[in-house]
Amino acid sequence: MSNRLRTVVFSPSELLPQTGSPQPDVKPRKLVALASRDQIIRSIYIQNPNHTPVFKSLDLVLSLGVKGVFQTGVRNAAPSFAGKSASADEFARIVERRETYPKETSPVVRVELEQACTSRRFWSTILGKYGDGFTASKDEEGLRRSTYDAFERHGTKLLIIDEVQHAGYRSKGSSAPTDVIKRFISDAQVGVGLFGNEQTLELLQSNNQLSHRLQEPCDIKPLDITEPSALPRFGKFLADYDDALIANKLFTTSLPLRDARVAGCLMTIASGFLGRVVTLLQIAGRRAFLRGATSIELHDLSHASTSWAVQQRLTPHDPFRFGIAGG
């Protein structure tokens, strides 16, 4: 462990379970109930200040698009668990709530590229999102035409391509998907959002013809904890998330998420990326439910920090148990 001074913020007794059982109940019936709850908890979206620039950029891509004449795209490159996918899905819900497009259409669609994504897999992944089960019988040109037909049938105006860092793969005799994306934008069928991790930055910048077709990036930035407004904004985010848990009847009481010490630990783990906080809270919430607790407790947050955040190398240790580094 580092020799830097640490502020220990919770005593061992505070980290013990306060309600429910010490260990989770993982019997099949309990896991079935967890699955139905999980759909609700994953649908919770709290206004995230990190995502506002993303929404504005995607709106710009939508407003500039003229089918068959001109389309553009935007890059969103940020670390894992920064909330890129959540921002894309929330933007799709925002567009739906505006009722600008007919209800039966899908104006904003998000797809995730697989690892070692070839140009053929690129098209097949998009068509799979629309339920096309006949991709194996089509050549690459047929896949491209089928994709554009799907956009027309479903009223798609913006395609968000997630995990775009996987588009750097080039199989023998084939173009890399980045070249396909360049052609895709030139064909002017829909606007494009290119979302991915840090590798996305290097990938897109290495393809000048593609990067020159993109608008100003909307990479998700972390909250700057040195700014005076950062901690109050983060505290409000946690309070609103806590309110949503209770409003959706996922828990009955409100305990640690309004504690300033908890906010400090979570900010340490998240490095300012609120998407990481949400994922950790989801993991802690599952454990709390399986234990029969009335709220997400310090015990659950500490366990999620060790079992998830440390294992994902987001933090070197559990700050709830071992403190926050300083000095």
Side-chain angles (χ1 to χ4, degrees), residues 70-84:
F70 176 81
Q71 296 285 356
T72 187
V74 66
R75 181 196 83 208
N76 179 5
S80 297
F81 308 109
K84 298 181 294 294

Side-chain angles (χ1 to χ4, degrees), residues 96-240:
E96 182 180 356
R97 289 194 295 267
R98 291 172 182 167
E99 299 183 348
T100 306
Y101 305 100
K103 288 186 177 181
E104 66 274 10
T105 63
S106 301
V108 181
V109 171
R110 178 174 69 88
V111 300
E112 292 187 11
L113 298 186
E114 299 176 0
Q115 290 187 351
C117 182
T118 63
S119 54
R120 181 178 181 83
R121 284 183 181 176
F122 172 82
W123 296 115
S124 297
T125 298
I126 300 172
L127 286 172
K129 188 74 173 183
Y130 291 100
D132 188 327
F134 301 97
T135 58
S137 62
K138 301 172 184 176
D139 60 18
E140 193 167 319
E141 181 59 24
L143 292 171
R144 185 177 70 89
R145 289 198 303 269
S146 294
T147 299
Y148 294 169
D149 288 343
F151 293 156
E152 185 70 27
R153 290 196 310 274
H154 294 272
T156 301
K157 306 297 181 183
L158 174 67
L159 178 72
I160 296 175
I161 304 172
D162 211 348
E163 306 294 347
V164 79
Q165 69 272 11
H166 297 153
Y169 183 81
R170 185 188 297 269
S171 59
K172 185 176 181 180
S174 299
S175 298
T178 48
D179 296 326
V180 177
I181 294 171
K182 178 182 65 179
R183 164 74 185 277
F184 183 88
I185 295 176
S186 297
D187 286 346
Q189 298 299 302
V190 297
V192 183
L194 303 176
F195 286 27
N197 64 16
E198 300 97 325
Q199 298 172 15
T200 299
L201 185 64
E202 181 180 355
L203 175 68
L204 296 181
Q205 289 179 339
S206 69
N207 190 318
N208 288 335
Q209 289 182 318
L210 173 55
S211 61
H212 290 171
R213 287 167 166 78
L214 303 178
Q215 300 298 314
E216 299 91 337
C218 62
D219 306 333
I220 292 178
K221 304 296 184 184
L223 284 179
D224 183 355
I225 60 175
T226 65
E227 291 185 0
S229 63
L231 284 178
R233 291 167 72 189
F234 186 48
K236 183 179 186 307
F237 179 86
L238 291 176
D240 289 346

Side-chain angles (χ1 to χ4, degrees), residues 252-292:
T252 59
T253 63
S254 170
L255 292 176
L257 294 190
R258 297 174 186 272
D259 189 322
R261 298 174 299 168
V262 169
C265 289
L266 292 177
M267 182 65 84
T268 296
I269 293 170
S271 299
F273 289 107
L274 302 191
R276 294 176 177 179
V277 174
V278 171
T279 301
L280 188 140
L281 291 178
Q282 290 173 346
I283 293 169
R286 292 176 192 129
R287 181 178 177 84
F289 169 72
L290 292 174
R291 291 195 305 103

Side-chain angles (χ1 to χ4, degrees), residues 78-93:
S80 297
F81 308 109
K84 298 181 294 294
S85 299
S87 67
D89 292 340
E90 177 60 14
F91 183 74
R93 290 188 288 267

